[in-house]
Amino acid sequence: MLLPKHTVAIMQPYLLPYIGYFQLIAAVDTFVIYDNIKYTKKGWINRNRFLQNNIDVLFSLPLKNDSDQLQICEREVADNFLAHKLLRQFAMAYQRAPYFNKVYALLEMIFTYTEKNLFSFLYHSVMLTCQFLEITTPIRVSSSIAIDHTLKSQDKVLALCTALNASHYINAIGGQTLYTKEVFAQKNIALYFLQTKPFEYSQFNNAFVPWLSIIDVLMFNSPEVIHNTFLPHYELV
């Protein structure tokens, strides 16, 4: 008896990531978000880029000083984080954007969230953004899945896929150096990588700045256009 196809993707949480992250969520049957892996200091977990005066500018969620060895679920947002200051930056940058009012309301719900735990904060932001985009893929938290959580890298991904009865696993394109199709095939799992196709949209009629936070896409495009045109705009390799 053939089991039905079940496609899984697994990623760590990021602060308002680029559209490829949400393409990946929309492309699969189950999306797993890591809470119990090590926090990486210079990655994109708690920072991203937005458009300000026609150039890309970093914004970040400040964290309490703590050990670099802690997992994402063990880190906390800094007590001195002032949501209104970051919201003011977004307002100044995007107040003339066509979808500013609706997207700013989303940002208010994200950044005024009172939870200090970093994972909870990021998970909340991902869920709200998926709701905004009408992405209905079930999202599981990695620590809730019964595997050996001391496993690392490819072994941990394979264990999660096996626990979820995955027939297909899709990873972001950057994982091509980390995962091997032959190893996944030994577990009867087909491995693919999602490559976002380049696209452009009007950003105040200036030269286009690509690959910014999803917030930039939302500010300049309707949810319908994003859902129907941009979210499917990828290829699997």
Side-chain angles (χ1 to χ4, degrees), residues 176-196:
Q176 283 184 310
T177 60
L178 303 175
Y179 307 127
T180 307
K181 292 194 175 190
E182 291 75 16
V183 174
F184 277 77
Q186 291 172 10
K187 300 287 186 179
N188 296 314
I189 301 170
L191 171 63
Y192 293 93
F193 299 94
L194 187 147
Q195 173 72 70
T196 302

Side-chain angles (χ1 to χ4, degrees), residues 5 54 64 73 126 136 141 144 147 177 185 187 192 213:
K5 174 183 172 183
N54 306 326
K64 288 184 179 179
C73 60
V126 169
T136 59
V141 177
S144 71
I147 66 164
T177 60
K187 300 287 186 179
Y192 293 93
S213 161

Side-chain angles (χ1 to χ4, degrees), residues 8 12 56 61 66 90 102 105-106 121 125 127 160 194 201 217 225 237:
V8 171
Q12 61 187 19
D56 60 304
L61 185 68
D66 218 325
F90 276 101
K102 287 185 177 180
L106 171 65
F121 191 101
S125 71
M127 296 298 289
L160 288 166
L194 187 147
Y201 48 86
V217 180
V225 166
V237 297

Side-chain angles (χ1 to χ4, degrees), residues 53-203:
N53 298 322
N54 306 326
I55 60 172
D56 60 304
V57 175
L58 278 173
F59 66 93
S60 64
L61 185 68
L63 303 182
K64 288 184 179 179
N65 292 327
D66 218 325
S67 169
D68 291 339
Q69 302 304 312
L70 293 180
Q71 296 181 339
I72 295 172
C73 60
E74 297 173 316
R75 297 301 304 265
E76 292 191 353
V77 177
D79 290 331
N80 62 357
F81 169 57
L82 298 175
H84 70 276
K85 286 192 174 182
L86 184 55
L87 287 167
R88 189 183 305 133
Q89 284 184 275
F90 276 101
M92 292 177 65
Y94 289 109
Q95 59 190 336
R96 294 186 295 109
Y99 298 96
F100 171 76
N101 289 335
K102 287 185 177 180
V103 181
Y104 188 77
L106 171 65
L107 286 170
E108 286 184 314
M109 288 190 290
I110 289 171
F111 287 117
T112 60
Y113 189 51
T114 57
E115 176 60 60
K116 289 293 186 180
N117 179 269
L118 174 61
F119 174 76
S120 297
F121 191 101
L122 297 177
Y123 177 80
H124 177 255
S125 71
V126 169
M127 296 298 289
L128 285 179
T129 307
C130 284
Q131 291 173 20
F132 191 90
L133 291 170
E134 298 183 353
I135 297 173
T136 59
T137 303
I139 297 179
R140 300 280 303 274
V141 177
S142 61
S143 63
S144 71
I145 301 171
I147 66 164
D148 177 1
H149 287 282
T150 64
L151 294 170
K152 305 293 183 183
S153 192
Q154 183 168 253
D155 291 334
K156 190 167 189 174
V157 170
L158 285 166
L160 288 166
C161 286
T162 300
L164 294 170
N165 295 314
S167 59
H168 294 69
Y169 175 69
I170 304 178
N171 202 86
I173 194 68
Q176 283 184 310
T177 60
L178 303 175
Y179 307 127
T180 307
K181 292 194 175 190
E182 291 75 16
V183 174
F184 277 77
Q186 291 172 10
K187 300 287 186 179
N188 296 314
I189 301 170
L191 171 63
Y192 293 93
F193 299 94
L194 187 147
Q195 173 72 70
T196 302
K197 295 180 181 178
F199 61 90
E200 294 188 9
Y201 48 86
S202 176
Q203 294 169 323

